[in-house]
Amino acid sequence: MPKVSEDHLAARRSQILDGARRCFAEYGYDGATVRRLEEATGLSRGAIFHHFKDKDGLFLALAHEDARRMADVVAEGGLVQVMRDMLASPQDFDWLGTRLEIARRLRTDPEFRRSWSQRSAELTDATIARLAAQKEADRLRDDVPTDVLVEYLDLVLDGLIARLAAGNASSDLSAVLDLVENSVRRRD
């Protein structure tokens, strides 16, 4: 049997993640059945699950990939910039509409909660580092602890994701993000 190159494996994994992202966006977590995942990726279940342990593993790999991508944006421009990117290109984040289903599983499934927290830690860590750098540069308000600011920004992010997932993106959301950004800046 010929050996498959690393490039081929990476391309196949990317193909699976791209198709799965579309499938989760269209059908939600529970509706993204193996048959639908096969159709969305153009691959058999054997090919899909050769790369991922199970549907949870596939979903968590998407979460990790997106958290890593968002963490890179946070490092450069902050969490509000991630939200601005979501407004500018909601189709790139539409699978995150499954967050309501994720919230249910986080509440009821300890194993999923453990795996999810490991995957989402990268984004939280990047946010904390960005806020610490902004505080050190005297650009961030100092009357609110960093952990409270992180929770605040996470709540806004969750609300934006829910709004976009419901198809309720209005032109005023950019102004709302301006308000959020101004609310965490240092007041002189």
Side-chain angles (χ1 to χ4, degrees):
M1 172 143 69
K3 187 173 181 176
V4 179
S5 73
E6 290 299 317
D7 289 343
H8 177 76
L9 290 173
R12 181 58 52 97
R13 182 177 167 84
S14 181
Q15 176 185 358
I16 294 166
L17 289 170
D18 290 344
R21 184 176 282 110
R22 288 189 309 273
C23 189
F24 286 125
E26 185 173 351
Y27 299 107
Y29 181 86
D30 289 333
T33 62
V34 172
R35 185 179 57 75
R36 285 179 172 155
L37 287 166
E38 288 174 319
E39 290 170 5
T41 62
L43 299 169
S44 70
R45 74 184 57 218
I48 295 168
F49 296 118
H50 170 75
H51 293 272
F52 302 95
K53 177 183 169 191
D54 52 23
K55 188 167 107 173
D56 274 355
L58 176 56
F59 187 82
L60 291 167
L62 282 170
H64 182 67
E65 183 178 88
D66 285 357
R68 186 175 52 248
R69 192 175 319 127
M70 286 188 264
D72 291 344
V73 173
V74 167
E76 291 296 316
L79 191 58
V80 173
Q81 185 58 50
V82 168
M83 293 182 238
R84 291 186 192 286
D85 291 351
M86 288 179 172
L87 277 181
S89 302
Q91 70 281 357
D92 293 341
F93 298 91
D94 56 357
W95 83 277
L96 291 174
T98 60
R99 288 289 274 254
L100 296 176
E101 296 166 55
I102 292 168
R104 177 187 57 79
R105 296 220 28 224
L106 289 173
R107 194 176 65 250
T108 61
D109 184 341
E111 179 62 27
F112 184 83
R113 183 174 41 251
R114 185 188 62 72
S115 296
W116 182 261
S117 66
Q118 289 173 343
R119 299 302 197 279
S120 61
E122 190 170 359
L123 180 57
T124 300
D125 292 346
T127 301
I128 291 168
R130 171 72 180 187
L131 291 173
Q134 293 295 87
K135 267 192 179 180
E136 191 173 305
D138 209 27
R139 292 187 202 115
L140 198 66
R141 60 189 299 171
D142 58 3
D143 61 327
V144 178
T146 300
D147 60 326
V148 173
L149 291 174
V150 170
E151 288 294 325
Y152 168 64
L153 292 171
D154 279 347
L155 282 170
V156 174
L157 176 63
D158 286 345
L160 178 64
I161 290 169
R163 176 72 61 95
L164 293 175
N168 294 333
S170 69
S171 60
D172 294 344
L173 290 179
S174 183
V176 170
L177 293 181
D178 290 342
L179 179 64
V180 170
E181 196 163 40
N182 289 331
S183 72
V184 298
R185 293 210 184 277
R186 181 175 173 81
R187 298 176 191 161
D188 293 317

